[in-house]
Amino acid sequence: MDKEMIKLYFPYGIRVAANGCYKETSKITTLLDNSFLVKDCWEHSQEIPYDTDEYKLILHPVTVEHLYTPLRVNYQKLIVADYLCTIVYENIKDILPSDNSDWLVEMIVSYFNDRTPCPFSKSTMSKLYSALYALHFDVFGYIDRNQARNVCEMNYDSYEFDKILL
């Protein structure tokens, strides 16, 4: 894991977990030159070097199924697909092919996973990226490259009680 990986997620309270740990995660609190500081749920701090293979970011996968899975965000249920569609609909109200948003969710997933062309404006894409960073989604394929851990493979969603800035 390197500092650049963490930077985009850092303002949104990104968490890490040690390899083999399926319950305990720690929130990254400070980015230093060669390491980062984390705090666990008991408020214990630890310094971790960037070049370690022992810890990995905890991220949500960008899949159609997961975008439709309800997440607990700020003590409420949120369907991420619906939230992302709301962002897009604000900018393309006049060109919607139908009321069904399945095509839109598939287009978003295809863009982030396969890097297919995206017809949305730069402004819309910026809003989508910001939402996905804030919700800790793996927009760069870190999970597939074994550089991050899939939150679905943990025993619980470590973000469900965190305050998420949307």
Side-chain angles (χ1 to χ4, degrees):
M1 170 171 26
D2 64 28
K3 190 174 187 176
E4 296 306 312
M5 259 177 83
I6 300 170
K7 273 184 173 179
L8 294 169
Y9 294 100
F10 179 70
Y12 306 105
I14 191 70
R15 291 182 169 275
V16 296
N19 291 332
C21 181
Y22 294 96
K23 282 199 172 202
E24 292 183 32
T25 64
S26 299
K27 188 181 282 190
I28 298 176
T29 59
T30 307
L31 300 178
L32 304 171
D33 289 336
N34 298 311
S35 60
F36 56 94
L37 300 177
V38 297
K39 271 193 182 170
D40 62 22
C41 61
W42 296 282
E43 297 295 316
H44 298 123
S45 291
Q46 181 179 356
E47 185 172 346
I48 301 171
Y50 290 117
D51 62 0
T52 186
D53 289 333
E54 179 63 25
Y55 287 84
K56 292 184 179 164
L57 296 177
I58 305 299
L59 297 172
H60 291 276
V62 179
T63 63
V64 171
E65 178 184 77
H66 198 65
L67 290 176
Y68 278 113
T69 301
L71 297 181
R72 187 175 172 147
V73 177
N74 298 333
Y75 301 103
Q76 297 179 355
K77 294 287 183 186
L78 175 71
I79 305 292
V80 178
D82 294 344
Y83 184 73
L84 297 178
C85 289
T86 301
I87 291 171
V88 173
Y89 288 161
E90 290 173 358
N91 296 293
I92 62 169
K93 291 177 186 164
D94 297 333
I95 59 171
L96 295 177
S98 71
D99 292 335
N100 184 335
S101 63
D102 291 345
W103 67 274
L104 180 55
V105 174
E106 287 178 19
M107 185 181 295
I108 291 169
V109 168
S110 195
Y111 171 80
F112 284 106
N113 289 327
D114 304 327
R115 300 297 181 218
T116 57
C118 189
F120 308 134
S121 69
K122 185 176 181 178
S123 171
T124 300
M125 288 308 296
S126 178
K127 291 174 187 176
L128 289 174
Y129 270 98
S130 293
L132 291 170
Y133 292 146
L135 294 168
H136 311 102
F137 274 81
D138 180 15
V139 298
F140 297 109
Y142 295 138
I143 294 171
D144 289 341
R145 293 192 310 249
N146 200 29
Q147 294 176 307
R149 294 193 45 202
N150 186 335
V151 75
C152 299
E153 295 172 359
M154 306 288 286
N155 284 345
Y156 74 106
D157 180 354
S158 56
Y159 296 110
E160 78 176 319
F161 296 109
D162 288 357
K163 178 74 175 155
I164 306 293
L165 301 173
L166 285 179

